[in-house]
Amino acid sequence: ARGGGGHLIWLGCHFIDLFQYVLGVKIVEVASFTGVVGGQPVEVEDSAAVLFRFSNGVLGTLTSGYYLDEGKQSSFALWGEHGWLRMWPLEKDCLEWYGIPLKETSARKQTMEYAAEKDGYHKFVRSAVRAAAGLEPPPIEPEEGLHVLKTIFAAYRAAETGRAQKVN
């Protein structure tokens, strides 16, 4: 209760922020399941499956977990009118997308191999701490961060109630 949740609020927040950044629109509704499925004695969820509806009609999914004996596993997908994007952020071939170009008749599918920066997470945390101390601008705008948190708590409500929730 002191931490506000488990895996979804701890690491899932970064994917939710990324979704909204990539699309340039906000999440307006969520449905979800959360649970302790990794077999470890924890009291907060170690796994979440969330469905998102964005303000422009795009749908997205996030499946995310942290299994203490195996590490992190995450994947997400965005589905829209002109194509889709899928990502497995911890894999070598992490990004795949398919789009129907507006000016071309043929569809295209592409992939990208990810050259992971070893210390990206720690740099982000350092920047957030320095911003809290007034030493630099925040790495995320406060309104964007607040909407991410509202989205997460709507996902927790959806998991508890079994009903999709609006993000207010």
PDB file of all heavy atoms in Angstrom, residues 77-105:
ATOM      1  N   ALA A  77       1.849  -3.486 -27.855  1.00  0.00           N
ATOM      2  CA  ALA A  77       1.431  -3.306 -29.242  1.00  0.00           C
ATOM      3  C   ALA A  77       0.468  -2.136 -29.313  1.00  0.00           C
ATOM      4  O   ALA A  77      -0.303  -1.898 -28.391  1.00  0.00           O
ATOM      5  CB  ALA A  77       0.759  -4.576 -29.776  1.00  0.00           C
ATOM      6  N   LEU A  78       0.546  -1.413 -30.404  1.00  0.00           N
ATOM      7  CA  LEU A  78      -0.391  -0.336 -30.711  1.00  0.00           C
ATOM      8  C   LEU A  78      -1.040  -0.676 -32.044  1.00  0.00           C
ATOM      9  O   LEU A  78      -0.351  -1.067 -32.985  1.00  0.00           O
ATOM     10  CB  LEU A  78       0.337   1.007 -30.810  1.00  0.00           C
ATOM     11  CG  LEU A  78       1.077   1.463 -29.561  1.00  0.00           C
ATOM     12  CD1 LEU A  78       1.913   2.704 -29.862  1.00  0.00           C
ATOM     13  CD2 LEU A  78       0.116   1.724 -28.421  1.00  0.00           C
ATOM     14  N   TRP A  79      -2.353  -0.524 -32.123  1.00  0.00           N
ATOM     15  CA  TRP A  79      -3.102  -0.886 -33.325  1.00  0.00           C
ATOM     16  C   TRP A  79      -3.942   0.305 -33.762  1.00  0.00           C
ATOM     17  O   TRP A  79      -4.736   0.813 -32.986  1.00  0.00           O
ATOM     18  CB  TRP A  79      -4.027  -2.068 -33.030  1.00  0.00           C
ATOM     19  CG  TRP A  79      -3.295  -3.261 -32.532  1.00  0.00           C
ATOM     20  CD1 TRP A  79      -2.962  -3.522 -31.238  1.00  0.00           C
ATOM     21  CD2 TRP A  79      -2.780  -4.321 -33.298  1.00  0.00           C
ATOM     22  NE1 TRP A  79      -2.269  -4.698 -31.166  1.00  0.00           N
ATOM     23  CE2 TRP A  79      -2.135  -5.218 -32.413  1.00  0.00           C
ATOM     24  CE3 TRP A  79      -2.777  -4.615 -34.653  1.00  0.00           C
ATOM     25  CZ2 TRP A  79      -1.516  -6.373 -32.833  1.00  0.00           C
ATOM     26  CZ3 TRP A  79      -2.157  -5.785 -35.070  1.00  0.00           C
ATOM     27  CH2 TRP A  79      -1.546  -6.645 -34.172  1.00  0.00           C
ATOM     28  N   GLY A  80      -3.760   0.749 -35.008  1.00  0.00           N
ATOM     29  CA  GLY A  80      -4.519   1.888 -35.494  1.00  0.00           C
ATOM     30  C   GLY A  80      -4.934   1.752 -36.937  1.00  0.00           C
ATOM     31  O   GLY A  80      -4.684   0.731 -37.589  1.00  0.00           O
ATOM     32  N   GLU A  81      -5.533   2.791 -37.454  1.00  0.00           N
ATOM     33  CA  GLU A  81      -6.102   2.813 -38.796  1.00  0.00           C
ATOM     34  C   GLU A  81      -5.070   2.542 -39.889  1.00  0.00           C
ATOM     35  O   GLU A  81      -5.375   1.916 -40.899  1.00  0.00           O
ATOM     36  CB  GLU A  81      -6.747   4.181 -39.028  1.00  0.00           C
ATOM     37  CG  GLU A  81      -7.347   4.365 -40.389  1.00  0.00           C
ATOM     38  CD  GLU A  81      -7.924   5.758 -40.585  1.00  0.00           C
ATOM     39  OE1 GLU A  81      -7.809   6.594 -39.672  1.00  0.00           O
ATOM     40  OE2 GLU A  81      -8.486   5.988 -41.663  1.00  0.00           O
ATOM     41  N   HIS A  82      -3.854   2.991 -39.706  1.00  0.00           N
ATOM     42  CA  HIS A  82      -2.844   2.884 -40.758  1.00  0.00           C
ATOM     43  C   HIS A  82      -1.754   1.853 -40.473  1.00  0.00           C
ATOM     44  O   HIS A  82      -0.756   1.809 -41.184  1.00  0.00           O
ATOM     45  CB  HIS A  82      -2.208   4.249 -41.012  1.00  0.00           C
ATOM     46  CG  HIS A  82      -3.195   5.260 -41.489  1.00  0.00           C
ATOM     47  ND1 HIS A  82      -3.763   5.221 -42.744  1.00  0.00           N
ATOM     48  CD2 HIS A  82      -3.756   6.309 -40.867  1.00  0.00           C
ATOM     49  CE1 HIS A  82      -4.617   6.211 -42.870  1.00  0.00           C
ATOM     50  NE2 HIS A  82      -4.623   6.887 -41.741  1.00  0.00           N
ATOM     51  N   GLY A  83      -1.924   1.049 -39.432  1.00  0.00           N
ATOM     52  CA  GLY A  83      -0.925   0.021 -39.164  1.00  0.00           C
ATOM     53  C   GLY A  83      -0.798  -0.305 -37.694  1.00  0.00           C
ATOM     54  O   GLY A  83      -1.663   0.036 -36.891  1.00  0.00           O
ATOM     55  N   TRP A  84       0.291  -0.998 -37.371  1.00  0.00           N
ATOM     56  CA  TRP A  84       0.533  -1.392 -35.986  1.00  0.00           C
ATOM     57  C   TRP A  84       2.014  -1.301 -35.662  1.00  0.00           C
ATOM     58  O   TRP A  84       2.864  -1.239 -36.544  1.00  0.00           O
ATOM     59  CB  TRP A  84       0.005  -2.790 -35.692  1.00  0.00           C
ATOM     60  CG  TRP A  84       0.415  -3.874 -36.649  1.00  0.00           C
ATOM     61  CD1 TRP A  84      -0.361  -4.409 -37.650  1.00  0.00           C
ATOM     62  CD2 TRP A  84       1.674  -4.572 -36.715  1.00  0.00           C
ATOM     63  NE1 TRP A  84       0.347  -5.383 -38.328  1.00  0.00           N
ATOM     64  CE2 TRP A  84       1.602  -5.512 -37.765  1.00  0.00           C
ATOM     65  CE3 TRP A  84       2.855  -4.497 -35.981  1.00  0.00           C
ATOM     66  CZ2 TRP A  84       2.648  -6.352 -38.098  1.00  0.00           C
ATOM     67  CZ3 TRP A  84       3.908  -5.349 -36.319  1.00  0.00           C
ATOM     68  CH2 TRP A  84       3.785  -6.262 -37.366  1.00  0.00           C
ATOM     69  N   LEU A  85       2.291  -1.288 -34.372  1.00  0.00           N
ATOM     70  CA  LEU A  85       3.653  -1.260 -33.864  1.00  0.00           C
ATOM     71  C   LEU A  85       3.712  -2.228 -32.694  1.00  0.00           C
ATOM     72  O   LEU A  85       2.824  -2.210 -31.836  1.00  0.00           O
ATOM     73  CB  LEU A  85       3.990   0.158 -33.396  1.00  0.00           C
ATOM     74  CG  LEU A  85       5.342   0.351 -32.743  1.00  0.00           C
ATOM     75  CD1 LEU A  85       5.974   1.619 -33.288  1.00  0.00           C
ATOM     76  CD2 LEU A  85       5.212   0.438 -31.243  1.00  0.00           C
ATOM     77  N   ARG A  86       4.737  -3.097 -32.671  1.00  0.00           N
ATOM     78  CA  ARG A  86       4.920  -4.024 -31.552  1.00  0.00           C
ATOM     79  C   ARG A  86       6.333  -3.866 -31.015  1.00  0.00           C
ATOM     80  O   ARG A  86       7.271  -3.651 -31.786  1.00  0.00           O
ATOM     81  CB  ARG A  86       4.716  -5.469 -32.008  1.00  0.00           C
ATOM     82  CG  ARG A  86       3.294  -5.752 -32.419  1.00  0.00           C
ATOM     83  CD  ARG A  86       3.055  -7.202 -32.672  1.00  0.00           C
ATOM     84  NE  ARG A  86       3.771  -7.668 -33.853  1.00  0.00           N
ATOM     85  CZ  ARG A  86       3.303  -8.563 -34.702  1.00  0.00           C
ATOM     86  NH1 ARG A  86       2.135  -9.086 -34.506  1.00  0.00           N
ATOM     87  NH2 ARG A  86       4.012  -8.941 -35.736  1.00  0.00           N
ATOM     88  N   MET A  87       6.461  -4.002 -29.714  1.00  0.00           N
ATOM     89  CA  MET A  87       7.777  -3.840 -29.109  1.00  0.00           C
ATOM     90  C   MET A  87       7.974  -4.835 -27.976  1.00  0.00           C
ATOM     91  O   MET A  87       7.077  -5.070 -27.181  1.00  0.00           O
ATOM     92  CB  MET A  87       7.938  -2.416 -28.567  1.00  0.00           C
ATOM     93  CG  MET A  87       9.311  -2.138 -28.039  1.00  0.00           C
ATOM     94  SD  MET A  87       9.473  -0.384 -27.606  1.00  0.00           S
ATOM     95  CE  MET A  87      11.171  -0.349 -27.118  1.00  0.00           C
ATOM     96  N   TRP A  88       9.169  -5.392 -27.948  1.00  0.00           N
ATOM     97  CA  TRP A  88       9.652  -6.252 -26.877  1.00  0.00           C
ATOM     98  C   TRP A  88      10.919  -5.574 -26.366  1.00  0.00           C
ATOM     99  O   TRP A  88      12.016  -5.861 -26.836  1.00  0.00           O
ATOM    100  CB  TRP A  88       9.961  -7.654 -27.386  1.00  0.00           C
ATOM    101  CG  TRP A  88       8.802  -8.291 -28.056  1.00  0.00           C
ATOM    102  CD1 TRP A  88       7.856  -9.077 -27.469  1.00  0.00           C
ATOM    103  CD2 TRP A  88       8.438  -8.202 -29.438  1.00  0.00           C
ATOM    104  NE1 TRP A  88       6.925  -9.465 -28.405  1.00  0.00           N
ATOM    105  CE2 TRP A  88       7.264  -8.945 -29.628  1.00  0.00           C
ATOM    106  CE3 TRP A  88       8.985  -7.540 -30.537  1.00  0.00           C
ATOM    107  CZ2 TRP A  88       6.635  -9.054 -30.854  1.00  0.00           C
ATOM    108  CZ3 TRP A  88       8.356  -7.647 -31.768  1.00  0.00           C
ATOM    109  CH2 TRP A  88       7.198  -8.404 -31.915  1.00  0.00           C
ATOM    110  N   PRO A  89      10.804  -4.640 -25.429  1.00  0.00           N
ATOM    111  CA  PRO A  89      11.922  -3.747 -25.112  1.00  0.00           C
ATOM    112  C   PRO A  89      13.178  -4.411 -24.578  1.00  0.00           C
ATOM    113  O   PRO A  89      14.238  -3.818 -24.618  1.00  0.00           O
ATOM    114  CB  PRO A  89      11.338  -2.793 -24.075  1.00  0.00           C
ATOM    115  CG  PRO A  89      10.036  -3.338 -23.696  1.00  0.00           C
ATOM    116  CD  PRO A  89       9.613  -4.352 -24.678  1.00  0.00           C
ATOM    117  N   LEU A  90      13.089  -5.624 -24.112  1.00  0.00           N
ATOM    118  CA  LEU A  90      14.265  -6.269 -23.545  1.00  0.00           C
ATOM    119  C   LEU A  90      14.883  -7.294 -24.488  1.00  0.00           C
ATOM    120  O   LEU A  90      15.784  -8.026 -24.111  1.00  0.00           O
ATOM    121  CB  LEU A  90      13.905  -6.914 -22.208  1.00  0.00           C
ATOM    122  CG  LEU A  90      13.315  -5.920 -21.199  1.00  0.00           C
ATOM    123  CD1 LEU A  90      12.752  -6.647 -20.003  1.00  0.00           C
ATOM    124  CD2 LEU A  90      14.339  -4.889 -20.799  1.00  0.00           C
ATOM    125  N   GLU A  91      14.422  -7.327 -25.728  1.00  0.00           N
ATOM    126  CA  GLU A  91      14.915  -8.266 -26.721  1.00  0.00           C
ATOM    127  C   GLU A  91      15.813  -7.551 -27.728  1.00  0.00           C
ATOM    128  O   GLU A  91      15.704  -6.348 -27.927  1.00  0.00           O
ATOM    129  CB  GLU A  91      13.746  -8.917 -27.461  1.00  0.00           C
ATOM    130  CG  GLU A  91      12.745  -9.598 -26.561  1.00  0.00           C
ATOM    131  CD  GLU A  91      13.311 -10.814 -25.876  1.00  0.00           C
ATOM    132  OE1 GLU A  91      14.167 -11.486 -26.461  1.00  0.00           O
ATOM    133  OE2 GLU A  91      12.890 -11.095 -24.734  1.00  0.00           O
ATOM    134  N   LYS A  92      16.653  -8.317 -28.414  1.00  0.00           N
ATOM    135  CA  LYS A  92      17.561  -7.740 -29.418  1.00  0.00           C
ATOM    136  C   LYS A  92      16.774  -7.142 -30.592  1.00  0.00           C
ATOM    137  O   LYS A  92      17.017  -6.023 -31.008  1.00  0.00           O
ATOM    138  CB  LYS A  92      18.524  -8.815 -29.905  1.00  0.00           C
ATOM    139  CG  LYS A  92      19.511  -8.303 -30.934  1.00  0.00           C
ATOM    140  CD  LYS A  92      20.435  -9.422 -31.386  1.00  0.00           C
ATOM    141  CE  LYS A  92      21.319  -8.950 -32.517  1.00  0.00           C
ATOM    142  NZ  LYS A  92      22.091 -10.037 -33.090  1.00  0.00           N
ATOM    143  N   ASP A  93      15.877  -7.910 -31.160  1.00  0.00           N
ATOM    144  CA  ASP A  93      15.001  -7.419 -32.238  1.00  0.00           C
ATOM    145  C   ASP A  93      13.736  -6.895 -31.580  1.00  0.00           C
ATOM    146  O   ASP A  93      12.724  -7.570 -31.540  1.00  0.00           O
ATOM    147  CB  ASP A  93      14.670  -8.543 -33.221  1.00  0.00           C
ATOM    148  CG  ASP A  93      15.893  -9.050 -33.947  1.00  0.00           C
ATOM    149  OD1 ASP A  93      16.766  -8.227 -34.243  1.00  0.00           O
ATOM    150  OD2 ASP A  93      15.976 -10.256 -34.197  1.00  0.00           O
ATOM    151  N   CYS A  94      13.811  -5.673 -31.081  1.00  0.00           N
ATOM    152  CA  CYS A  94      12.789  -5.213 -30.152  1.00  0.00           C
ATOM    153  C   CYS A  94      11.593  -4.518 -30.777  1.00  0.00           C
ATOM    154  O   CYS A  94      10.585  -4.360 -30.130  1.00  0.00           O
ATOM    155  CB  CYS A  94      13.408  -4.290 -29.130  1.00  0.00           C
ATOM    156  SG  CYS A  94      13.825  -2.687 -29.831  1.00  0.00           S
ATOM    157  N   LEU A  95      11.689  -4.081 -32.020  1.00  0.00           N
ATOM    158  CA  LEU A  95      10.636  -3.245 -32.567  1.00  0.00           C
ATOM    159  C   LEU A  95      10.250  -3.731 -33.955  1.00  0.00           C
ATOM    160  O   LEU A  95      11.104  -4.009 -34.788  1.00  0.00           O
ATOM    161  CB  LEU A  95      11.122  -1.787 -32.639  1.00  0.00           C
ATOM    162  CG  LEU A  95      10.141  -0.736 -33.121  1.00  0.00           C
ATOM    163  CD1 LEU A  95       8.947  -0.629 -32.183  1.00  0.00           C
ATOM    164  CD2 LEU A  95      10.841   0.613 -33.229  1.00  0.00           C
ATOM    165  N   GLU A  96       8.951  -3.834 -34.177  1.00  0.00           N
ATOM    166  CA  GLU A  96       8.426  -4.239 -35.477  1.00  0.00           C
ATOM    167  C   GLU A  96       7.189  -3.395 -35.751  1.00  0.00           C
ATOM    168  O   GLU A  96       6.394  -3.147 -34.850  1.00  0.00           O
ATOM    169  CB  GLU A  96       8.054  -5.723 -35.417  1.00  0.00           C
ATOM    170  CG  GLU A  96       7.459  -6.274 -36.670  1.00  0.00           C
ATOM    171  CD  GLU A  96       7.128  -7.743 -36.537  1.00  0.00           C
ATOM    172  OE1 GLU A  96       6.447  -8.121 -35.553  1.00  0.00           O
ATOM    173  OE2 GLU A  96       7.527  -8.517 -37.411  1.00  0.00           O
ATOM    174  N   TRP A  97       7.066  -2.911 -36.983  1.00  0.00           N
ATOM    175  CA  TRP A  97       5.881  -2.139 -37.324  1.00  0.00           C
ATOM    176  C   TRP A  97       5.450  -2.432 -38.742  1.00  0.00           C
ATOM    177  O   TRP A  97       6.222  -2.845 -39.581  1.00  0.00           O
ATOM    178  CB  TRP A  97       6.083  -0.655 -37.094  1.00  0.00           C
ATOM    179  CG  TRP A  97       7.099   0.017 -37.967  1.00  0.00           C
ATOM    180  CD1 TRP A  97       6.876   0.677 -39.131  1.00  0.00           C
ATOM    181  CD2 TRP A  97       8.507   0.104 -37.722  1.00  0.00           C
ATOM    182  NE1 TRP A  97       8.048   1.175 -39.630  1.00  0.00           N
ATOM    183  CE2 TRP A  97       9.072   0.834 -38.781  1.00  0.00           C
ATOM    184  CE3 TRP A  97       9.356  -0.371 -36.714  1.00  0.00           C
ATOM    185  CZ2 TRP A  97      10.431   1.094 -38.861  1.00  0.00           C
ATOM    186  CZ3 TRP A  97      10.709  -0.108 -36.795  1.00  0.00           C
ATOM    187  CH2 TRP A  97      11.226   0.622 -37.863  1.00  0.00           C
ATOM    188  N   TYR A  98       4.178  -2.205 -38.955  1.00  0.00           N
ATOM    189  CA  TYR A  98       3.547  -2.438 -40.241  1.00  0.00           C
ATOM    190  C   TYR A  98       2.686  -1.226 -40.530  1.00  0.00           C
ATOM    191  O   TYR A  98       1.930  -0.780 -39.670  1.00  0.00           O
ATOM    192  CB  TYR A  98       2.682  -3.691 -40.155  1.00  0.00           C
ATOM    193  CG  TYR A  98       1.838  -3.959 -41.382  1.00  0.00           C
ATOM    194  CD1 TYR A  98       2.356  -4.667 -42.439  1.00  0.00           C
ATOM    195  CD2 TYR A  98       0.536  -3.501 -41.452  1.00  0.00           C
ATOM    196  CE1 TYR A  98       1.580  -4.925 -43.565  1.00  0.00           C
ATOM    197  CE2 TYR A  98      -0.237  -3.750 -42.566  1.00  0.00           C
ATOM    198  CZ  TYR A  98       0.289  -4.456 -43.612  1.00  0.00           C
ATOM    199  OH  TYR A  98      -0.474  -4.709 -44.716  1.00  0.00           O
ATOM    200  N   GLY A  99       2.833  -0.670 -41.699  1.00  0.00           N
ATOM    201  CA  GLY A  99       2.034   0.498 -42.031  1.00  0.00           C
ATOM    202  C   GLY A  99       1.591   0.479 -43.467  1.00  0.00           C
ATOM    203  O   GLY A  99       2.242  -0.099 -44.332  1.00  0.00           O
ATOM    204  N   ILE A 100       0.476   1.098 -43.703  1.00  0.00           N
ATOM    205  CA  ILE A 100      -0.032   1.260 -45.056  1.00  0.00           C
ATOM    206  C   ILE A 100       0.213   2.716 -45.427  1.00  0.00           C
ATOM    207  O   ILE A 100      -0.481   3.599 -44.932  1.00  0.00           O
ATOM    208  CB  ILE A 100      -1.522   0.908 -45.137  1.00  0.00           C
ATOM    209  CG1 ILE A 100      -1.733  -0.527 -44.655  1.00  0.00           C
ATOM    210  CG2 ILE A 100      -2.054   1.118 -46.548  1.00  0.00           C
ATOM    211  CD1 ILE A 100      -3.173  -0.912 -44.481  1.00  0.00           C
ATOM    212  N   PRO A 101       1.213   2.977 -46.225  1.00  0.00           N
ATOM    213  CA  PRO A 101       1.519   4.367 -46.586  1.00  0.00           C
ATOM    214  C   PRO A 101       0.337   5.026 -47.282  1.00  0.00           C
ATOM    215  O   PRO A 101      -0.345   4.409 -48.094  1.00  0.00           O
ATOM    216  CB  PRO A 101       2.713   4.237 -47.531  1.00  0.00           C
ATOM    217  CG  PRO A 101       3.284   2.890 -47.251  1.00  0.00           C
ATOM    218  CD  PRO A 101       2.135   2.028 -46.818  1.00  0.00           C
ATOM    219  N   LEU A 102       0.099   6.269 -46.965  1.00  0.00           N
ATOM    220  CA  LEU A 102      -1.034   6.983 -47.540  1.00  0.00           C
ATOM    221  C   LEU A 102      -0.881   7.226 -49.040  1.00  0.00           C
ATOM    222  O   LEU A 102      -1.848   7.237 -49.767  1.00  0.00           O
ATOM    223  CB  LEU A 102      -1.229   8.314 -46.825  1.00  0.00           C
ATOM    224  CG  LEU A 102      -1.597   8.215 -45.345  1.00  0.00           C
ATOM    225  CD1 LEU A 102      -1.652   9.605 -44.726  1.00  0.00           C
ATOM    226  CD2 LEU A 102      -2.933   7.514 -45.187  1.00  0.00           C
ATOM    227  N   LYS A 103       0.362   7.405 -49.533  1.00  0.00           N
ATOM    228  CA  LYS A 103       0.577   7.730 -50.934  1.00  0.00           C
ATOM    229  C   LYS A 103       1.040   6.534 -51.760  1.00  0.00           C
ATOM    230  O   LYS A 103       1.348   6.670 -52.919  1.00  0.00           O
ATOM    231  CB  LYS A 103       1.591   8.860 -51.057  1.00  0.00           C
ATOM    232  CG  LYS A 103       1.085  10.151 -50.446  1.00  0.00           C
ATOM    233  CD  LYS A 103       2.083  11.258 -50.603  1.00  0.00           C
ATOM    234  CE  LYS A 103       1.540  12.526 -49.987  1.00  0.00           C
ATOM    235  NZ  LYS A 103       2.455  13.635 -50.095  1.00  0.00           N
ATOM    236  N   GLU A 104       1.130   5.382 -51.153  1.00  0.00           N
ATOM    237  CA  GLU A 104       1.579   4.185 -51.872  1.00  0.00           C
ATOM    238  C   GLU A 104       0.497   3.130 -51.783  1.00  0.00           C
ATOM    239  O   GLU A 104      -0.332   3.146 -50.886  1.00  0.00           O
ATOM    240  CB  GLU A 104       2.874   3.656 -51.253  1.00  0.00           C
ATOM    241  CG  GLU A 104       4.021   4.657 -51.311  1.00  0.00           C
ATOM    242  CD  GLU A 104       5.241   4.145 -50.565  1.00  0.00           C
ATOM    243  OE1 GLU A 104       5.372   2.927 -50.401  1.00  0.00           O
ATOM    244  OE2 GLU A 104       6.048   4.974 -50.142  1.00  0.00           O
ATOM    245  N   THR A 105       0.535   2.180 -52.673  1.00  0.00           N
ATOM    246  CA  THR A 105      -0.465   1.126 -52.647  1.00  0.00           C
ATOM    247  C   THR A 105       0.028  -0.118 -51.922  1.00  0.00           C
ATOM    248  O   THR A 105      -0.767  -0.945 -51.521  1.00  0.00           O
ATOM    249  CB  THR A 105      -0.875   0.729 -54.079  1.00  0.00           C
ATOM    250  OG1 THR A 105       0.290   0.309 -54.787  1.00  0.00           O
ATOM    251  CG2 THR A 105      -1.527   1.895 -54.785  1.00  0.00           C
TER     252      THR A 105
END
